[in-house]
Amino acid sequence: GDSVTQMEGPVTLSEEAFLTINCTYTATGYPSLFWYVQYPGEGLQLLLKATKADDKGSNKGFEATYRKETTSFHLEKGSVQVSDSAVYFCALSPISQGGSEKLVFGKGTKLTVNP
Amino acid sequence: AAGVIQSPRHLIKEKRETATLKCYPIPRHDTVYWYQQGPGQDPQFLISFYEKMQSDKGSIPDRFSAQQFSDYHSELNMSSLELGDSALYFCASSDRTGDTQETQYFGPGTRLLVL
């Protein structure tokens, strides 16, 4: 079945460091790909998405590119801030003709950014 | 912009009791999804509804049931609660007929504690 494999955490960085969180997927067809962020004690917020190959999603300085050839959707940010400390989930949605199906999540990567 | 509303935000129950969680989707969204997130885990899909009909089913225990009403809000009913049901329960909604049909928007979650 469909699955998402995420880089194991936790990840600890200093402020202004470069961030990469790896994400690869297994799916039939062409799923949509997402990054969701969960701040401590809060719900899931959509960070960015890409719906087809070579699409780049971006938001708040974060970027991820849908790479069909490597089945990857790695999350990057050039300069992290303390406020970026959160758990990041990579997810896929196996789109059917009817629209969005259930999301399949990776295990999550906890990021801590120190001042 | 209006978001997904969930109530209650926190719930404490005893073993073998019942609980009802409510979800109010974003206005004009026609699809509702329920997810369960155990401590330190990724969200797991439970069930979804499209236009008041069940559209997909995941790892939802037989003790749980759900429905979507004519106003599109949804309720998750949980009976014979067990300690292992303690988790964060998310509702998400999407618009299958819109431009962002692939995107699910999450509510803040209901944190259920079973004692």
Side-chain angles (χ1 to χ4, degrees):
Chain A
D2 298 336
S3 66
V4 175
T5 301
Q6 238 179 284
M7 167 178 165
E8 297 262 341
V11 174
T12 302
L13 296 173
S14 297
E15 206 163 24
E16 298 183 3
F18 184 85
L19 169 70
T20 298
I21 301 178
N22 290 336
C23 171
T24 57
Y25 68 90
T26 301
T28 53
Y30 303 98
S32 289
L33 301 174
F34 305 84
W35 278 100
Y36 282 86
V37 59
Q38 187 173 30
Y39 297 101
E42 297 187 11
L44 292 165
Q45 297 179 25
L46 177 65
L47 182 59
L48 53 83
K49 68 180 182 183
T51 58
K52 59 182 186 295
D54 300 324
D55 265 2
K56 177 187 281 188
S58 61
N59 186 25
K60 299 180 182 179
F62 291 89
E63 292 183 342
T65 301
Y66 190 140
R67 301 286 187 201
K68 178 170 166 289
E69 63 276 12
T70 54
T71 61
S72 65
F73 193 54
H74 304 320
L75 182 68
E76 296 182 337
K77 186 174 185 182
S79 176
V80 294
Q81 305 300 312
V82 172
S83 57
D84 294 327
S85 298
V87 178
Y88 292 81
F89 289 96
C90 184
L92 70 81
S93 175
I95 299 299
S96 72
Q97 279 190 327
S100 176
E101 299 284 353
K102 62 186 180 188
L103 286 170
V104 176
F105 287 89
K107 294 299 182 186
T109 302
K110 183 176 181 180
L111 170 67
T112 300
V113 181
N114 295 318
Chain B
V4 176
I5 297 171
Q6 290 187 246
S7 68
R9 293 293 308 278
H10 302 273
L11 192 57
I12 300 175
K13 291 286 185 179
E14 301 275 340
K15 280 195 309 184
R16 293 180 287 278
E17 285 191 322
T18 61
T20 297
L21 279 54
K22 297 185 179 182
C23 169
Y24 298 86
I26 291 171
R28 291 180 293 282
H29 279 197
D30 49 25
T31 307
V32 168
Y33 311 79
W34 287 97
Y35 293 84
Q36 178 192 57
Q37 184 182 30
Q41 303 295 312
D42 55 300
Q44 295 292 314
F45 172 74
L46 293 177
I47 196 167
S48 62
F49 293 87
Y50 168 63
E51 285 289 347
K52 293 152 279 183
M53 299 287 289
Q54 181 181 308
S55 58
D56 198 2
K57 194 171 181 180
S59 49
I60 183 169
D62 292 340
R63 299 177 289 107
F64 294 6
S65 65
Q67 58 181 326
Q68 186 180 31
F69 295 86
S70 58
D71 64 352
Y72 293 97
H73 94 273
S74 178
E75 295 184 3
L76 177 66
N77 298 294
M78 311 160 70
S79 63
S80 302
L81 286 169
E82 302 174 356
L83 296 179
D85 296 328
S86 296
L88 192 53
Y89 290 84
F90 287 112
C91 172
S93 72
S94 69
D95 174 10
R96 288 200 181 184
T97 62
D99 293 337
T100 59
Q101 60 176 269
E102 72 286 340
T103 303
Q104 297 180 26
Y105 297 89
F106 283 75
T110 293
R111 189 169 297 278
L112 172 66
L113 177 61
V114 181
L115 301 175

